[in-house]
Amino acid sequence: MTPRSYHHGDLRRSLIRAAVIVLERHGLEGLSLRAVARQAKVSHAAPYHHFANRDQLVEAVAEAGFADLRAFIIRHLETTTFEPGAMLQEAAVGYVLFAVEHPDVYRLMFGAALKDHNPSEALLASSAGAYGLIHGGIAAAFQGQPVDEARVVTLARTCWSIAHGVATLTIDGHLGATDPEAVAEQTRAITGVLWQGLRAG
Amino acid sequence: MTPRSYHHGDLRRSLIRAAVIVLERHGLEGLSLRAVARQAKVSHAAPYHHFANRDQLVEAVAEAGFADLRAFIIRHLETTTFEPGAMLQEAAVGYVLFAVEHPDVYRLMFGAALKDHNPSEALLASSAGAYGLIHGGIAAAFQGQPVDEARVVTLARTCWSIAHGVATLTIDGHLGATDPEAVAEQTRAITGVLWQGLRAG
DNA sequence: ACCTGAACACCGTTCAAGT
DNA sequence: ACCTGAACACCGTTCAAGT
């Protein structure tokens, strides 16, 4: 664990940090291994001692991204006041705000899986952690009542779909709103429609 | 209009067709201008007489994609039987099935805007045409009743968000279902939750 | 064990030159 | 008007060689 080179202490960590900097500066297309190596001040071949190829570095960035997303939503819920019973809706707002604040990381997180059809265990665990927040929120909303697990899965997938849909359409400029406050308000309006369906069902 | 070269009749069209072939064969990362030129059997510099750069070719493919999406949904509605009043829901099924059948084109359509912040008029018109289907469907659902246009926009954006969310999560493998029939059924289940919200609101 | 420099086969883009 | 070939500065990846 935490391999230490004589040059960088922990090159793997440095490379992931450098990758995020390059990503946010030049977008996904500009995220080349060589650019990351330059950012980390090592030779262009050095990253290959920590990542088999570009995709594996991208996967590591995605893994960190899902962990950050989860933490961001939890922090958002802790620092925001909302109506009792509106926690799921406010979690969606946190979800979308993360995407708006880190659009390139968010896009990378959902583009990482498609290249390689064998995502790493670590990436699966990290994305499952974020999904677990939603699933747990749904299950909690049924407190006391008898629950059909398949129904909980459908509802969790519904929530994830709406949050992901609003997040991606927003960062791609298709829903108009750009500043965080307008995005949050629009997300509440859109998830509000869904919310009525959840209560009706 | 329809420029004709002595070598290819209509190279611009040929390049767009070649681009779709390369895209479906090698993914977005493999969609290089040089590979498209090879596929179209012209020199690697020839595309520059029809597209200023790679992004403009990608934009042209996206434009064609939105037109195809619109046509696909219309055809799906014409060839599928559904409960009266469930047209919007079935349109969402058509929307998601298009993404599942053409995942690389669909991803390209929504990745095209972000590179260049000045999308072409043609691309805007094409994507507006697809969005118009949703907006029209919502407005039609209110037939006779007094309508608040802002409310229609919110509902249309809600429908687009859920369809886009299901589509992207499905093609990225996050929702389990892969074969068209399972995808259609899951889409009906998920949009059904939203549907109850629409009727309640 | 970790890092480097040279090498190879690719890119996007430009541009003088051909028909 | 449309197309080509050579050129430039980039890539990802490999590998022998250095410390």
Side-chain angles (χ1 to χ4, degrees):
Chain A
M1 295 285 122
T2 65
R4 319 207 133 249
S5 91
Y6 36 86
H7 274 143
H8 282 88
D10 187 348
L11 184 53
R12 190 178 193 278
R13 257 180 141 66
S14 297
L15 287 170
I16 294 176
R17 255 198 298 272
V20 173
I21 292 171
V22 173
L23 176 64
E24 302 199 323
R25 197 128 62 195
H26 300 106
L28 185 54
E29 312 245 315
L31 184 61
S32 71
L33 268 187
R34 288 172 102 110
V36 171
R38 275 195 300 272
Q39 175 70 31
K41 297 194 189 304
V42 291
S43 82
H44 65 261
Y48 285 89
H49 289 276
H50 299 276
F51 302 100
N53 50 40
R54 181 185 186 272
D55 288 347
Q56 285 208 3
L57 171 60
V58 168
E59 239 182 311
V61 173
E63 178 195 336
F66 276 109
D68 289 348
L69 168 61
R70 186 177 199 279
F72 187 96
I73 294 172
I74 291 172
R75 197 163 57 245
H76 178 79
L77 290 174
E78 285 169 353
T79 58
T80 311
T81 55
F82 46 85
E83 304 280 313
M87 191 181 83
L88 262 172
Q89 208 178 347
E90 201 57 37
V93 172
Y95 186 104
V96 174
L97 286 178
F98 175 86
V100 169
E101 282 190 26
H102 309 283
D104 290 300
V105 172
Y106 188 81
R107 273 191 281 259
L108 178 148
M109 285 157 57
F110 288 90
L114 56 117
K115 285 302 300 295
D116 187 1
H117 282 251
N118 287 64
S120 70
E121 284 301 315
L123 176 55
L124 288 175
S126 190
S127 90
Y131 171 75
L133 266 187
I134 305 172
H135 191 278
I138 294 283
F142 278 96
Q143 52 183 20
Q145 300 164 59
V147 228
D148 175 9
E149 174 58 20
R151 180 68 181 159
V152 174
V153 169
T154 294
L155 294 177
R157 286 176 171 174
T158 304
C159 289
W160 194 13
S161 295
I162 196 92
H164 181 67
V166 172
T168 50
L169 289 179
T170 296
I171 63 183
D172 284 351
H174 289 291
L175 295 189
T178 52
D179 64 294
E181 204 37 67
V183 167
E185 215 33 68
Q186 174 156 266
T187 302
R188 287 191 192 95
I190 288 177
T191 56
V193 178
L194 172 68
W195 193 236
Q196 293 174 319
L198 286 173
R199 292 154 92 110
Chain B
M1 294 283 122
T2 65
R4 317 207 134 250
S5 91
Y6 37 85
H7 275 140
H8 284 87
D10 187 347
L11 185 52
R12 190 179 195 277
R13 257 181 141 67
S14 297
L15 288 170
I16 293 176
R17 256 198 299 271
V20 172
I21 293 172
V22 173
L23 175 64
E24 302 198 324
R25 197 128 63 196
H26 299 106
L28 185 56
E29 312 246 315
L31 183 62
S32 70
L33 227 32
R34 288 170 102 110
V36 171
R38 276 195 300 272
Q39 175 70 31
K41 298 194 189 302
V42 291
S43 83
H44 65 261
Y48 286 90
H49 289 276
H50 299 275
F51 302 100
N53 49 42
R54 180 184 186 273
D55 288 347
Q56 285 208 2
L57 171 59
V58 168
E59 239 182 309
V61 173
E63 178 195 336
F66 276 109
D68 289 347
L69 168 61
R70 186 176 198 280
F72 186 97
I73 294 172
I74 291 172
R75 196 164 55 245
H76 178 79
L77 290 175
E78 286 171 353
T79 58
T80 311
T81 56
F82 46 86
E83 303 280 311
M87 191 180 83
L88 263 172
Q89 208 179 347
E90 201 57 37
V93 172
Y95 186 104
V96 174
L97 286 178
F98 175 86
V100 169
E101 282 191 26
H102 309 284
D104 289 301
V105 172
Y106 188 81
R107 271 191 282 259
L108 178 147
M109 284 158 56
F110 288 89
L114 56 117
K115 285 302 299 297
D116 187 2
H117 281 249
N118 287 64
S120 69
E121 283 301 314
L123 176 56
L124 288 176
S126 189
S127 90
Y131 171 75
L133 267 186
I134 305 172
H135 190 279
I138 293 284
F142 278 96
Q143 52 183 21
Q145 297 165 61
V147 228
D148 175 10
E149 173 58 20
R151 181 66 182 159
V152 174
V153 169
T154 294
L155 294 178
R157 285 175 172 174
T158 304
C159 289
W160 193 13
S161 295
I162 196 92
H164 182 66
V166 173
T168 50
L169 289 179
T170 296
I171 63 182
D172 283 352
H174 290 292
L175 295 189
T178 51
D179 65 293
E181 205 36 66
V183 168
E185 216 32 68
Q186 175 155 266
T187 303
R188 288 192 191 94
I190 289 176
T191 56
V193 178
L194 172 68
W195 194 236
Q196 293 173 320
L198 286 173
R199 291 152 93 109

